Every structure is written in C-alpha cells, then in structure tokens.
Amino acid sequence: MISISGDRPTGSLHMGHFFGSLINRVAFQDLYTQFLIIADNQVSLQERLNVRTSIKNILIDYFSVGLDFRKNNIFLQSLIPELSVLAQFLSNFLDLNKLKRVPSIKFLLKRNKNICFNSFCFPVYQSSDILLFGARYVPVGLDQSALIELTNVIVRNVNRYFKRTIFNKCIPVFGASVPGIFGYEKMSKSLGNVIPLYCDDATLMSILAKIKTDDTRITVLSPGSYSCSVVIKYLELFMEANEFLKLKMQYLSGLVSDGFTKKLLFNYLREFYSYTLSRRNMLFESGIDLFAYLIDSSNYVRRIAIANLNKIRRLTGIYF
Ligand code: ATP
Ligand code: MG
C-alpha cells in the first residue's frame, strides 16, 4: 500500500501540522511505502518568500518529529515534471463549477478577488500528486477533506470514461483540527497564529501569554467554558483521554485556573520540544547536506513517476 502527503514551503511547520497530519505520517512510514511532497509549485509567485529556507526548515521539521529520511520518499514537486503532465490530462475530467465550490478556493476568493490561476487550479495538481503515485492513504488535516473528495470525483470520471479502472479511490486519514492561538481560525503558517514544533523557553512563554483562554470568567476560579479556551483544546491533544476528562470537569466547575492550564500546557510542550530538539541536534551533527539529499531523493522518485505515467498512458491508450 502507498500513502502520500505533503506541505507547501511557505514557512516552518507547526503543532497544527503535527496533530493534523505528521503524527499519522510517522505511524505510516513503518506500514506503507510513503511519499512526502514539498509542494513548491503550489506556492504562487505572489506568496513566494524565502521558499528555499522554507524547504530546508520543512526537512528539519520532518526529521525532528520522527520522520526518517530512509523510510520515506521525500521529493520536491518542481523536480517531477510528470506531475504537471498528468495534472493537465486530469483537468479534462473536472468541471469548473465543482472547482469553484471547493471551500479553500471560496476562502481564497473571499480574501482576495484577484487570485491567480495557479492558486485556483491547485486541487487538480494535488489530485495529480495522489494519483500519479497510486496512493491509497492520504494522512491530512480535516481542511483537506473537500480536496480529497475532488480527487475521488476525478477518479470516478476517468474510470467511467475509459470503462475500466485506471485509478483507485484514495482514503483520507484525518488527524485533529488544530485552532490557532487566538482561537477563531485554524492554526496556519500564513496567519501568524502558530505554536512551532520547536522553540526556546522564552519564546514559548511569550506565545503562551498570547493564547486565548476563557475571557468571560469573572474571577480566576469562575466556572470555565471548554469551547472558549484554546489552552484546554490543546491539552486535549496531549493528554490521555481519562486524565483529560478529569481536567475538563475541573475546569468546567471552576476548580482550576487558566494560569494552571497554561502551566500544564507549558510542561507538555517542553517535553515535546526536548524530543524535537534532540532529533534536530542529531540531524545537524550528522552533517547531512539537506539539498543534496532532497535532489537525490527526488531523482529516485522521478524514476517511479516516469514509469507510472507511462503505465497510465498505456492503460488509457492516450499519449498525452
Ligand atoms: P498555508 O497557510 O501556507 O496554507 P498551512 O499552515 O495551512 O499553510 P499547509 O501546507 O496548507 O499548511 O498544510 C499541510 C498539511 O497540514 C495539510 O494536510 C493540512 O490539512 C495540515 N494542517 C495544516 N494546518 C492544520 C491545522 N491547523 N490543523 C490540522 N491540520 C493542519
Ligand atoms: Mg493551507
């Protein structure tokens, strides 16, 4: 079985990525043949800022959370032109109205009326990433659900057109949906509301100071509301279910203060950081040239891409 997932090089990864997707990728690297795509073609020219640094940071972040470079086929999207060739072919099988209804496209259009075509058609490219490698599982965040559905619409349309199975449907494997530190949007690189995968104590303290808690509480120990405290939502991600339930009940009945929950979160994050820091140090001490590794690994993936594209051409009888 094959799994695929990836990230746009628009900054460093964060705890949203960890609980939304990386955590499942770490598990899948031992179960499946896993491809990890650094999707640089999906960064439009308007968004392009320090892409090279972001690529390097993503590789460091991957390693720091436990992804092993030898257990995964990590590659740079722009080094695999076959992905664009297949995407153009797949674009025959998706009508424009469906694309316009994708929530992330709607969101982009709402924020900026003049988005470029690259930002508009990226779901087709994402489908190509999944279908070229024949991935069965796609460990992603819940925000990607409509995009995976769209991939499966393309699969259905292609198979119907050719009256045979050219592609198999893929299955999304969703992690948790992690809110940003201010509470009202998802944690996202480009929104500046993130908890990083590693930082020093002073930075962590300043982030914790900004995290939204229940500001409707009149005194420190007034009953708290679970849905108002982002700290409680983060704690839920770290704690054992029954331990969390106990804490939640205490919070709801005003037995614990927001200061206490923040201290608890600080401890969980520090423990997490001691792991990511040790992995980061291990990587730096190895002296690996990250770009040389990425090019090597992408060359290996390209050979698979060429063979797979040829197989699709043979199956469809269309030499696109
Ligand atoms: P950008 O702001 O540039 O879009 P991003 O932080 O949203 O960046 P992406 O590269 O778009 O990150 O997403 C990579 C993967 O991480 C996707 O599978 C996405 O679902 C997941 N992911 C990103 N943010 C979160 C989050 N807050 N909660 C859960 N999953 C997330
Ligand atoms: Mg995103």
Side-chain angles (χ1 to χ4, degrees), residues 151-198:
T151 303
N152 284 333
V153 167
I154 293 178
V155 169
R156 204 176 54 223
N157 290 346
V158 172
N159 291 348
R160 195 176 283 162
Y161 182 86
F162 290 100
K163 298 191 179 65
R164 61 188 293 194
T165 304
I166 308 292
F167 299 115
N168 288 302
K169 283 196 174 180
C170 58
I171 299 167
V173 182
F174 297 122
S177 227
V178 184
I181 59 170
F182 308 117
Y184 35 81
E185 261 158 338
K186 72 156 201 151
M187 192 176 279
S188 174
K189 287 190 223 94
S190 41
L191 295 177
N193 58 2
V194 311
I195 303 181
L197 293 176
Y198 173 71

Side-chain angles (χ1 to χ4, degrees), residues 5-8 10 14 16-17 19-21 25 47 139-144 176-179 186-191:
S5 189
D7 305 277
R8 301 185 332 132
T10 50
H14 49 70
H17 293 112
F19 288 110
S21 172
R25 298 185 208 173
E47 294 175 293
V140 281
L142 210 57
D143 58 312
Q144 301 278 316
S177 227
V178 184
K186 72 156 201 151
M187 192 176 279
S188 174
K189 287 190 223 94
S190 41
L191 295 177

Side-chain angles (χ1 to χ4, degrees), residues 254-290:
L255 294 172
V256 292
S257 66
D258 287 311
F260 176 83
T261 58
K262 280 197 175 179
K263 204 171 278 167
L264 205 54
L265 182 60
F266 179 78
N267 290 339
Y268 277 109
L269 280 165
R270 269 187 97 190
E271 198 184 320
F272 182 84
Y273 288 168
S274 80
Y275 176 72
T276 51
L277 179 64
S278 72
R279 299 265 312 172
R280 285 166 73 95
N281 287 340
M282 197 196 296
L283 186 69
F284 299 144
E285 278 157 21
S286 77
I288 186 173
D289 177 337
L290 288 170

